[in-house]
Amino acid sequence: MTDQQQTGERSLLGAVVQLWALLLGIALLLAGNGLQGTLLGVVAEDSGFSATLTGLVMTSYFAGFFAGSASAERLITKVGHVRTFAALASIGSIAILVHGLLIDPIVWSGMRFLTGFSFAGLYVVAESWLNRESSNTYRGALLAIYMIITHGSLAIGQGLLNTASTTGLTLYVLSSIIISGALVPILLSSAPQPHYILQVERLTLRKLFAISPLGLTGSFCAGVANGIILGMGAVYARRIGLEVSGVSLFIAATLVGGAALQWPIGRLSDAIDRRVIIGAVAAAAAVAAALLPMAAEMGLIALTVTGFFAGGLTMTLYPLSMAHTHDWLEPDQMTAASSALVMVYGAGAVMGPIGTGVLMGLIGPSGFAYYLIGLCLLLSAIAVYRITRRDAPDATEDYLLAPAAMVGGEYWAETAVEEAADAESDPA
């Protein structure tokens, strides 16, 4: 190992130690969010919510998500990272308790708006905080750790559903406790919060696209891809004939793949032009998606293995795109860029299930794979084109990190199985 590699490894370890409170806080937040996403899907079904009302609740979350991603930059600039984190986590904790007190679709829509608002802002806080504390030499590695934490925490949170009955308040209170607990390491840590600049540069989407066309396009495509996998993966699995246990295994495989592939791909992107990695990963994801129909005919094991790679590869596209974008940014642009990219990702995540539903309605379950194939091939082609347009950024400059993950499909995944079952008896 070279001296430079040893220094990089020590720097990565130092960054993790420095950021332990933030990483632990994010882990607790997403565990609580994973639990409530699963819980609300089950309770909505048991309470007789119609598909229309369920859709209203889901849409409210993303409306709040857009609002939160747009507002977080101003909050951070005004009061700093720690106070913004504490305020938004408190809003999320309050919202889940109100869900349990009043099981009503209108009330839930309002609370889901608040939940989306708070969690979008929390993602921006985490990303901009990590941006200012990290070096380009270990960017991919640290974002891989961040992504593993987010996916693992969501999976743990969903597993907590089995700890109590869904008919009482216990699970709502447990989710609130976990989310509130995320404040403790942040507020008690002796590590200083990052310095924030009072006069930050405002970035319009047009200006951000001019700075990094592939980063912005890749973030949007990654949102669509994850919306396809997490939003409609359960519907696809159900419509090809899997039982509920098989559907759960297929979705779990995509999430495990999303966690397992972060580290090797992230590390590789530190050594090779990130545009090459984005193009290669997108092309590989298209191949994995193309194998899904064949794997479905071969059986559950083959489908699960294919889902591992299809989901795992697509879930690395967003942090790769975020990291590539921040290769080209100045420090005073990073908070605004994080906010914009989270919002763009969220827009894509909404479009993923809508487009998949239309295609599956027209051509059947294979529309799920075709949509994913076309999207990934398009992103791969854009990456190849951008490689021909300019050189890679100078890796020796001290660019700052923007690892990010917004997994917004846990609620879709839980309700989609039941909606697919209804669709089987109602072709319309």
Side-chain angles (χ1 to χ4, degrees):
M1 180 178 291
T2 67
D3 291 340
Q4 184 178 4
Q5 288 173 321
Q6 290 174 346
T7 301
E9 292 296 336
R10 288 195 297 269
S11 298
L12 174 61
L13 178 60
V16 172
V17 172
Q18 180 76 10
L19 296 168
W20 73 267
L22 175 64
L23 295 174
L24 177 57
I26 289 295
L28 291 172
L29 281 171
L30 292 181
N33 195 27
L35 170 59
Q36 69 172 286
T38 306
L39 173 63
L40 296 180
V42 172
V43 174
E45 180 64 23
D46 292 345
S47 300
F49 285 18
S50 68
T52 301
L53 291 177
T54 301
L56 175 62
V57 172
M58 180 167 53
T59 301
S60 297
Y61 175 88
F62 285 101
F65 191 89
F66 292 143
S69 61
S71 302
E73 176 196 346
R74 292 191 295 272
L75 289 173
I76 294 172
T77 302
K78 185 175 182 180
V79 302
H81 289 74
V82 169
R83 289 181 178 178
T84 301
F85 189 98
L88 294 176
S90 297
I91 291 173
S93 179
I94 292 169
I96 187 57
L97 289 176
V98 177
H99 280 92
L101 293 174
L102 297 169
I103 302 178
D104 177 84
I106 303 301
V107 173
W108 276 25
S109 292
M111 293 304 101
R112 289 303 282 170
F113 180 92
L114 289 179
T115 302
F117 180 92
S118 61
F119 274 88
L122 288 165
Y123 288 127
V124 175
V125 169
E127 291 158 16
S128 59
W129 194 329
L130 287 166
N131 293 342
R132 298 183 181 278
E133 298 297 325
S134 305
S135 168
N136 188 56
T137 57
Y138 50 84
R139 175 185 316 226
L142 187 57
L143 73 86
I145 293 172
Y146 178 58
M147 291 289 288
I148 290 170
I149 288 173
T150 58
H151 285 284
S153 298
L154 283 167
I156 291 172
Q158 292 173 10
L160 293 174
L161 184 69
N162 299 316
T163 60
S165 171
T166 60
T167 59
L169 286 174
T170 302
L171 291 177
Y172 298 96
V173 173
L174 177 60
S175 178
S176 179
I177 290 172
I178 295 172
I179 293 173
S180 297
L183 295 172
V184 176
I186 298 293
L187 296 178
L188 294 183
S189 172
S190 59
Q193 68 168 312
H195 172 71
Y196 57 94
I197 303 170
L198 293 179
Q199 296 297 326
V200 298
E201 181 176 342
R202 304 295 178 182
L203 283 179
T204 64
L205 291 180
R206 177 178 296 182
K207 185 172 182 178
L208 188 58
F209 182 81
I211 293 173
S212 179
L214 179 59
L216 192 66
T217 304
S219 294
F220 178 80
C221 290
V224 178
N226 285 354
I228 295 170
I229 294 288
L230 295 174
M232 297 298 289
V235 177
Y236 167 74
R238 185 66 171 169
R239 290 193 175 184
I240 62 175
L242 295 187
E243 300 295 334
V244 172
S245 59
V247 173
S248 300
L249 181 61
F250 175 70
I251 297 300
T254 65
L255 290 170
V256 172
L261 297 183
Q262 297 297 330
W263 179 263
I265 291 177
R267 291 296 283 170
L268 190 61
S269 77
D270 285 337
I272 300 175
D273 185 347
R274 252 180 269 277
R275 298 170 299 179
V276 174
I277 302 301
I278 291 172
V281 168
V287 172
L291 294 175
L292 282 172
M294 184 186 303
E297 295 181 359
M298 296 174 63
L300 180 58
I301 294 178
L303 182 65
T304 300
V305 172
T306 307
F308 173 93
F309 288 101
L313 290 166
T314 57
M315 289 178 191
T316 65
L317 291 173
Y318 182 53
L320 286 172
S321 299
M322 290 285 288
H324 173 68
T325 301
H326 282 74
D327 285 341
W328 298 97
L329 296 176
E330 299 296 333
D332 62 348
Q333 297 174 318
M334 290 182 176
T335 299
S338 294
S339 178
L341 290 175
V342 168
M343 185 166 55
V344 167
Y345 178 98
V350 173
M351 292 184 63
I354 295 173
T356 306
V358 171
L359 279 179
M360 291 178 68
L362 292 174
I363 62 177
S366 59
F368 173 86
Y370 291 155
Y371 192 13
L372 193 57
I373 293 168
L375 179 77
C376 291
L377 288 178
L378 175 63
L379 178 57
S380 182
I382 294 172
V384 172
Y385 172 74
R386 290 306 308 169
I387 292 172
T388 67
R389 302 307 297 172
R390 65 178 175 183
D391 295 333
D394 185 357
T396 63
E397 294 185 15
D398 191 21
Y399 293 106
L400 299 178
L401 169 69
M406 191 285 287
V407 183
E410 69 273 8
Y411 177 73
W412 287 332
E414 296 302 324
T415 60
V417 175
E418 301 299 338
E419 292 180 0
D422 293 339
E424 289 178 345
S425 61
D426 183 6

